């Protein structure tokens, strides 16, 4: 899939996720299965690693059925930025004082994974989209799993 088209789709999904966040106060994880003639939507729900693995397998099966060129996942998350020389605290990010909310849109194709991370800036007047960082070839367990399956290496 052409990168320009993929980034455009990711930007659109990010904006829609932000609209939902403003209305509901949160974003439920969702995956979009993108093929040449089809965009499917699959909600993602898991409470632990076992359920996460089951979601990954269901997503893989769905991607194969529609011959997906890309799988795009949208989620809300916490991020924390460490200062130079600061060690990683032994606690979940959600418990850290300096955390920030963000929208993460990750797209996996057979060739690469692109992650779009946008900070949600809270102000006295509400929430705004902050700066967006686009990172290439980033992987977590979910995106790495999908890229392997889309490339046929699983």
């Amino acid at each position: 899939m052409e990168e320009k088209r993929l980034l455009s789709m990711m930007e659109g999904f990010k904006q829609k996720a932000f609209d939902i966040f403003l209305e509901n106060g949160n974003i439920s994880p969702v995956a979009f299965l993108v093929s040449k003639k089809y965009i499917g939507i699959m909600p993602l729900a898991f409470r632990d690693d076992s359920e996460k693995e089951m979601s990954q397998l269901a997503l893989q099966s769905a991607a194969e059925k529609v011959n997906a060129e890309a799988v795009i996942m949208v989620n809300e998350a916490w991020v924390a930025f460490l200062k130079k020389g600061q060690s990683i605290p032994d606690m979940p990010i959600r418990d850290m004082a300096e955390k920030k909310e963000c929208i993460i849109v990750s797209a996996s194709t057979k060739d690469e994974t692109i992650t779009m991370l946008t900070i949600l800036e809270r102000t006295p007047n509400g929430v705004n989209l902050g700066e967006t960082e686009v990172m290439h070839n980033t992987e977590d367990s979910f995106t790495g799993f999908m890229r392997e399956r889309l490339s046929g290496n699983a």
Side-chain angles (χ1 to χ4, degrees), residues 50-122:
S50 176
E51 289 183 8
K52 184 176 184 178
E53 187 174 325
M54 289 174 62
S55 290
Q56 288 173 329
L57 293 171
L59 186 55
Q60 172 195 351
S61 177
E64 289 171 353
K65 284 180 184 173
V66 300
N67 196 25
E69 293 179 286
V71 175
I72 302 173
M73 289 171 279
V74 181
N75 198 11
E76 172 189 1
W78 293 106
V79 292
F81 300 96
L82 301 176
K83 296 180 176 129
K84 190 173 184 173
Q86 183 180 358
S87 62
I88 298 172
D90 188 23
M91 69 175 66
I93 292 174
R94 70 177 173 272
D95 296 336
M96 295 174 66
E98 298 297 317
K99 67 183 180 281
K100 291 194 177 234
E101 290 171 283
C102 68
I103 296 173
I104 297 178
V105 182
S106 295
S108 297
T109 68
K110 66 181 178 70
D111 298 319
E112 71 174 332
T113 298
I114 301 172
T115 300
M116 184 179 283
L117 185 145
T118 304
I119 300 295
L120 297 172
E121 299 286 350
R122 293 197 176 267

Side-chain angles (χ1 to χ4, degrees), residues 73 106-108 113 138-148:
M73 289 171 279
S106 295
S108 297
T113 298
T138 56
E139 287 187 1
D140 60 23
S141 61
F142 225 109
T143 56
F145 179 90
M146 288 313 304
R147 189 180 54 73
E148 284 179 17

Side-chain angles (χ1 to χ4, degrees), residues 16-29 75-78 101-103 120 122 126-127:
K16 187 59 181 170
F18 181 61
D19 294 344
I20 291 168
F21 181 85
L22 291 177
E23 189 170 318
N24 299 330
N26 63 29
I27 301 165
S28 296
N75 198 11
E76 172 189 1
W78 293 106
E101 290 171 283
C102 68
I103 296 173
L120 297 172
R122 293 197 176 267
V127 181

Side-chain angles (χ1 to χ4, degrees), residues 27-47:
I27 301 165
S28 296
V30 65
F32 297 89
L33 304 146
V34 182
S35 68
K36 290 189 187 323
K37 297 181 181 181
Y38 175 89
I39 296 179
I41 302 170
M42 185 172 174
L44 302 172
F46 41 84
R47 294 173 290 203

